[in-house]
Amino acid sequence: LPIERIGVALLALFGWPAGAQVLSASPQGTAFPLMMYEVSVSDAPNLTPYGWNVLQSYLNTVNDYNGYLQGLLTNGATGLVDVPATGTKHPFVERPRLEIQSWVQNLASNPNLAWWSLPEEMQPSLASELQILNDYSTWTRAYDPQKRPTYMYTPNGTIVTEISQIASYVDVIGLGCYCEYIG
């Protein structure tokens, strides 16, 4: 089993009450953010009692995200929503402003949406990806009445100048640490 599933399986051996109160994670709220990637709704009751409060899953549609966030809400958790771009590797291609506006407006009513997640591992050294950082950060603020924070995951090995360029556009930076990768 992958290590993530082993951890969830071990936690599931112990009984605990579900339904913890949802607290917004920093920087919007006061809760220390403890985030876990690739979490299904069924995993949430096993994670929230231990402080995991921002959960992520790779989804594709507004309906999928609305269902996911609703499932997390019943378990006292918040979640990320990806702001879509075209492509999975560099260079990413920006989606039209009206499409992002509709995406944000159709998801912003979820009370437990923690952060807007920008495409992962964008490289600000690419002019087109720097433009996405700028536009998506601006557009999520413009179309989300709660002006939730923006988030972007960066892998370990990202150089400090790239991180400083990213920091100008997002509120939360997730820095990966893959121990095997860095030896």
Side-chain angles (χ1 to χ4, degrees):
L1 288 173
I3 190 69
E4 298 86 8
R5 292 287 178 203
I6 292 170
V8 169
L10 289 173
L11 293 175
L13 292 175
F14 305 97
W16 52 76
Q21 181 182 358
V22 176
L23 298 174
S24 296
S26 179
Q28 185 179 29
T30 58
F32 179 84
L34 187 56
M35 186 173 95
M36 184 176 282
Y37 262 74
E38 298 189 55
V39 175
S40 71
V41 168
S42 63
D43 295 329
N46 301 331
L47 298 170
T48 55
Y50 293 93
W52 299 97
N53 56 5
V54 182
L55 307 178
Q56 181 272 353
S57 189
Y58 294 104
L59 304 170
N60 296 311
T61 70
V62 166
N63 287 339
D64 289 344
Y65 273 110
N66 278 324
Y68 182 71
L69 290 168
Q70 190 61 40
L72 294 181
L73 182 62
T74 62
N75 289 288
T78 64
L80 299 181
V81 168
D82 293 323
V83 182
T86 302
T88 56
K89 290 292 175 194
H90 308 287
F92 291 103
V93 177
E94 184 173 280
R95 299 272 181 97
R97 181 180 183 139
L98 289 176
E99 182 180 333
I100 300 303
Q101 177 182 1
S102 175
W103 182 263
V104 170
Q105 289 174 336
N106 284 311
L107 289 159
S109 64
N110 286 286
N112 65 324
L113 192 163
W115 307 324
W116 296 104
S117 181
L118 304 184
E120 295 179 359
E121 302 182 25
M122 282 196 289
Q123 297 177 356
S125 59
L126 298 172
S128 62
E129 292 190 7
L130 185 62
Q131 189 65 50
I132 293 171
L133 278 168
N134 180 53
D135 289 346
Y136 281 18
S137 293
T138 301
W139 298 344
T140 56
R141 289 274 194 287
Y143 303 122
D144 177 3
Q146 294 188 39
K147 302 190 183 321
R148 290 178 183 92
T150 53
Y151 163 86
M152 191 176 99
Y153 167 80
T154 60
N156 53 301
T158 303
I159 61 173
V160 71
T161 54
E162 282 192 14
I163 291 173
S164 67
Q165 290 172 322
I166 293 165
S168 300
Y169 296 96
V170 300
D171 302 299
V172 181
I173 298 175
L175 299 173
C177 181
Y178 295 91
C179 299
E180 295 85 7
Y181 176 76
I182 60 174

